[in-house]
Amino acid sequence: MIRATQIRAQHRWTEATADTVVLDFDDRHRRRMAMRGTRGLEFLLDLENATVLRGGDALVLDDNRLIEVVAAPEPLAEIRGTDPQHLVRVAWHLGNRHLPTQITAKGLRIRRDHVIEAMVKGLGARVIEIEAPFDPEGGAYSGGGHEHAPESDPHHHAAHDHSSHDQGDQGHHPDHHHHDEHCDHDHHHDRSHAHDRK
């Protein structure tokens, strides 16, 4: 099977692509995985390190053809603050719980989680349910840049106690679970197909 061993960063390429893969947040955190593009091209993602793929990246095949990465829409909660200072305060609470968070011009986006949504509403924020691609900040969570330090299978969400979120900031836990109530999420097999080969 032909391999993809390199990545060209978001939109830093102009060549025509051989195919496209549409991947959700979990399937964009990989090192090695069999993939099938929307036009049927099958290949093996085979990177040196587990990597955070972003929408707009291109995977480079052994024969130098490019596969475009498209971030699939997912159920998200968009959090709006009353003013910038209020939104920063909410962002601090999300960061304190190690939640992957996307920053947009309008507010903050997280994966749907009724416990966290109740928390931010309690802080006076507005929560809007949306469907959109999820492209959270990297930073310490992902190891910085395109690197994704912990090479674990994101399909196996460890059990955790949401009650810790309601006990103030002293109750946060150090691991970075996704806190996603949609653990049995659809991986969009109608658009792309992926199997872990770990």
Side-chain angles (χ1 to χ4, degrees):
M1 180 180 290
I2 193 168
R3 300 181 307 151
T5 57
Q6 300 178 52
I7 301 169
R8 291 197 191 172
Q10 289 177 306
H11 309 299
R12 294 180 185 172
W13 45 273
T14 57
E15 303 95 317
T17 57
D19 210 331
T20 299
V21 286
V22 183
L23 305 172
D24 67 10
F25 176 62
D26 286 340
D27 279 339
R28 294 199 314 275
H29 287 184
R30 298 293 183 190
R31 185 190 73 82
R32 182 179 172 88
M33 178 171 65
M35 293 185 171
R36 185 174 68 227
T38 57
R39 287 174 253 169
L41 195 157
E42 296 185 353
F43 64 96
L44 177 66
L45 178 70
D46 191 11
L47 304 174
E48 185 175 348
N49 299 298
T51 300
V52 179
L53 300 175
R54 305 248 180 223
D57 285 351
L59 305 175
V60 184
L61 299 178
D62 289 332
D63 58 8
N64 291 320
R65 286 182 296 169
L66 300 183
I67 306 294
E68 182 178 5
V69 176
V70 173
E74 302 184 51
L76 303 178
E78 183 164 280
I79 301 166
R80 306 277 182 89
T82 55
D83 56 47
Q85 184 176 3
H86 180 220
L87 196 61
V88 167
R89 180 169 174 256
V90 173
W92 184 90
H93 283 276
L94 296 177
N96 198 41
R97 285 154 178 80
H98 305 277
L99 284 177
T101 302
Q102 180 177 356
I103 300 173
T104 72
K106 294 182 178 180
L108 307 171
R109 290 180 179 178
I110 61 171
R111 300 177 95 178
R112 295 298 314 280
D113 185 312
H114 67 281
V115 173
I116 300 300
E117 291 170 37
M119 178 195 76
V120 298
K121 287 178 182 177
L123 294 170
R126 179 185 175 197
V127 176
I128 303 170
E129 297 180 11
I130 64 171
E131 289 266 344
F134 188 44
D135 197 14
E137 289 295 302
Y141 170 74
S142 63
H146 266 57
E147 296 304 317
H148 183 59
E151 188 184 346
S152 59
D153 186 347
H155 293 90
H156 298 115
H157 301 269
H160 58 279
D161 183 5
H162 277 296
S163 64
S164 64
H165 301 305
D166 302 320
Q167 296 171 357
D169 300 318
Q170 297 85 352
H172 79 277
H173 46 77
D175 48 31
H176 46 258
H177 299 309
H178 293 156
H179 298 285
D180 187 4
E181 64 182 308
H182 302 283
C183 288
D184 295 322
H185 53 275
D186 176 33
H187 281 271
H188 307 278
H189 288 283
D190 57 323
R191 287 172 293 182
S192 63
H193 188 68
H195 290 295
D196 255 336
R197 299 293 189 190
K198 298 178 183 175

